[in-house]
Every structure is written in C-alpha cells, then in structure tokens.
Amino acid sequence: MRKEYTRPLETPIDSDRNVFSILEERVDRDPDGTLVEYSVDGRWSSFTAREFRDKVVALAKGLIVKGISAGDSVAIIAHTSWQWTAVDMAIMSIGALTIPIYETNSPAQVRMIVNDSRVVMAFAEDESQRSKIEQVAADCPTLGEVFVFDNDAIETIIEFGRGLDDKVFWDREEAVRGDDLATIVYTSGSTGTPKGIELSHSNFVFIVYSGIESMPDIAMKPDRRLLLFLPLAHVFARYMQFFSFAGNITLGLSCNLSTILSDFHEFKPTFILAVPRIFEKIYNAASQKAGSGVTGRIFANSAQVAREWSKAQQSGHPIPLALRLRRGFYKKIVYSSIMDVFGGSVEYAVSGGAPMDASIAHFFNGVGLPLLEGYGMTETCAPSSVNPTTGYRIGTIGLPLEGVTIGVDDDSELCIKSRAVCVGYHNHPETTATQIVDGWLHTGDLGSIDDDGFVRITGRKKDLIITAGGKNVSPGQMEASVMTSPVVDQCVVIGDRRPFIAALITLDLNDTNQWLTVHGVPKVKTLEEASKNPIIRTEVERAVSKANELVSRAESIRKFEIIPERFTQDNGMLTPSLKAKRQVITEHYRDIIDKIIYVPRKKY
C-alpha cells in the first residue's frame, strides 16, 4: 500500500460468536425495554427485547421441524418489516443462511438467486411476491415450500415448532460459530450480473461491535431511536438491525416512503440514515414550499447563512459574531421547522451509498443536522468508515471504524482490511482471488487518506471516463451537484473515448410541476412535454453550470439531453439503493449518446 491508516480497536471484540448472540446479549441487558416498533395502518405497536427474542426462538423451532438444517439457504422477498427481521434472525440462529431478495427483483432475477444459492424454502411478503417465485419454481430444483407473510406465515411456522423442546433449539444455536456462513447477499447490480457475497457470523459480529465502539453517541446514549426505511435486502439496512440490537436503540421499521414524514413525527427518531437522494428531496421540498415571494427570499437567505455558518465551523476558526447572530435568527423562524420534518428529536443523520453534494451537506449542518457521511460495501457487511459525531469533516467519508485498516495502493484504489471483509464471492473463486489479495479487499473506488486518517472518495475505477483527449474524469461529483436541482431526478455523465463530456438527465414529473407552480408557470402533463419546456431546460442549464464550477473546463459538461422517461428499478436502470446503472443506461441510449457527442468517422 502507498498509504494506509488503522483506527485502533479500543476494546477487544470476540467475534467467534453468532449473530443471534447480539440479540441475546440485549435481552440479558434490558429484557423489558422496547426493542422493535412498527406501524400497521397508522397504529404503532412494539416488542420488548424478551418478546422479540422469544418470537425468534419460536420461529427457529418451526424451521427445525420443517427440516431446515445447518447450511440450508432460506430466501426472503419482502419489504422492510418486523417479520423480515424476525425470520432473518431465526434462520441464522440455527446455522441456516438467509438469502435476501429485493422485492423489486424480476422473476428471472429471483430464479438466478434461488438457483445460485440453492434455496430450499422461501418467505414472500404477499401474493404478488409469491407469484414471482411460482413463475420460476419449475426451474428451481432445490426450492420447496413458500410461506407468505400476509397469509399467516409467522403463525404457521410458530405452530409447527410449538411441540419441540427448547433444548433442541439451544443446542442448534450453540453449535453456530463465528466462521459459519450467515448469509449470501446479492449485490444490487449497478454493473453487470449481481454476485453473491458470502458473509459469516464473525463478519457481522465484529463490525457491529466495532460500530458501537466507533459511534457511542449514536448507539449507547439512553433512549436512542432509529427509524429504518431502507430495504432489508440491502446489507446496510440489515447491519443497522444488528447495530440497534447491540446498542441502546429502539428500532422502528417502516417501508412506505409516502408516509415517511408522518412516521418521523410519530416515531421521533434520534438519528436517521438514508442515501443522499433523500436529503436532496427534503431540501428541494422545503425550498419549493417556501415559494418565490417573501417567504421564498427568507428561505434562500436562511439557506445561504446555513452554508456560510457550516463552512466557518468546518474551517476550525472562530465563527464571526454577526454570522452566529444571523444563524440564531433563522434557527427560530426557518431551521426549527425543517428539523420538525424529522420528528423534532433527531441529532444526527448518516448518509452513504452515493456521493453527497457538499452544498446539501453544508445546508443541513448549518440547520443543525450534521450529515455524517460514511462508506462501505456489501463485501464489508456495510460500514468501513464513518465521520465521528465530533470533529466530522464534510466532503470526507470519515475515519475507519475501530479495528479497520484502509489503504490506498499505487493506482489510488481504496483497499480495506478487517475482520468484516467477506468470506468470498459465492461460486466465483476467480473473483475472490482477484478482489481479495493478501487480506486486502480492492474496492474499485479511488481515493485518498489524510494524515489524520480521514478518507476521501475521488472517483470509481469502473466509472472513470477517459475522453478522446486523454483526460480522466470522475463523474460522481458533477452528477450529485446536478441532482440538487428541484426538477432533476437522475443525472448520468457520459463521454468515455469521446471528444468531450455530456450528460443524460431525467426529470421527476411531480417535483417538476411543484417547481413550475411555485414560479407561476402552468404545469406540464407528461415527461415528454417537460423535456421540451424551455423554462425547465433553463433550470437544468443552471444546475449544469453550477456543477461545471466544480471542475476544470476539460472535465465540464458541454452538452446534455433531457430524457423523456425516468430511470427506475422496474426498467432495470436503477438499483434498489437508487444508484443509476451506468452500463445499462449507456447501452440503452447509445443512439442518443451518438447524437449528443458526434464522433467523426476516420477517413482512410
């Protein structure tokens, strides 16, 4: 490694344990404290730690009676819910493997995952998810029964195990050690075909307790509360379940983004985690709600003051008195209402999964909500680094978690070494051998490490655009900046082996019409109409010009095309974590790209 940094592990972690032990330790520590809360038709219910543990044990006993053995694979295809969490813990507690499947996956993707991991049983949320499985069941020779949450799957499995002696469960649970596989998690597939990542119990146990030691303010203060609404098929959300159990955190589970604001108000989280796109949309919603009159000017001024205060705070120098007074004024009349959006009790937000635009991070920091950027991969059980609650640095992905080493090799690729690095890639030994070398996981991301251990991401090797003139361009920063526009849904920068850089941009029809209404302009009926509207195009040009200020002339976006359709999970152009599938998009829009960036044919 050209440079590396290790954050020392202050307290030893015994990772020769299973994931169930995390839940059991919480029960020993606080059996009657609330562990899980969930909403059904707007009404919130809860489990204590003991109640939830007992539910998991009862499910595990049912799985044993149904013939699930150590090493068997059991799939879950459902939205985030307490049932997902309970079944997940039950499967792993008896040495079987949980195979998460995104509820947005197609039947063909379900077939690939089921066959690759040799799934013997599956849990589906409802009839629509079971239908996906049934469409391909004939092509899945190992697959047995499918249970449906909406059709009393939990009660049915518990009933099967009711007569089984508890000792049978505890003997099975005790036999599960750290080196045993806990799960195979299939990547969301932003590039190529998803691969299964083999994660052991030890991987999870280590990084969970490393996270607790690294973020005590978030995890261990009294009455911590997390509202989790990311899909549990994603390893980050899954990790946060176990992190919550290991800390003093009540875990709220929600899956309906249309009710997320009311869920915030009712649940009142002390911290939240989300991808940058969520924070961008909250900022844009606040801006549009303010309008373009007097209230609009007040909001714009308050946003500018928030950013100025944040930059002054980040500089490490004393904040000027005049700026502190202006911030205090806007805190009462603007910032308090923005904080109320999150329920009024939130202290921190953790962001990851994609680059965060600095202006958004500075805005929320100035408002009073530090966005602590972090970094991780499926291959590391999610987090490898995160910004500390004190001394956080905007624009970085923070410090390595305790016991984790991050290095930069001669090609500036970030590499990670820790006990959380995966066992390997399922059925792909050749990939394992090339991606994990001498204990170092090669991430594919480019970055740097400063002398204090703070890490920055500068680009991604596979996303790196090399223009015809030989200029290397990392698109992430520009894309994140363009996507702060209230009308832009997604931005994909293009230009590999082309004369200059361009961009494909999509719009969100609802957000676009809200923006038009604020500016006193008639709404548009379709994305096709929106893509041709000169007012909207002017706003997109403004966003592109702002992004171009971040880079040199050679790296700037010279042309853009507004695509009259959205990138979605359903059309295969967006991952469940809301990342654009660059390869899929560039192939699909090859003809449009050729028109935007004309490359003269060589004359012979």
Side-chain angles (χ1 to χ4, degrees), residues 215-235:
M215 296 178 281
D217 286 349
I218 287 178
M220 298 308 294
K221 285 183 177 179
D223 303 319
R224 301 289 87 186
R225 297 175 66 79
L226 166 66
L227 182 63
L228 188 63
F229 50 88
L230 298 177
L232 283 168
H234 195 285
V235 73

Side-chain angles (χ1 to χ4, degrees), residues 180-191:
D180 294 329
L181 286 187
T183 184
I184 302 174
V185 180
Y186 286 79
T187 58
S188 54
S190 58
T191 58

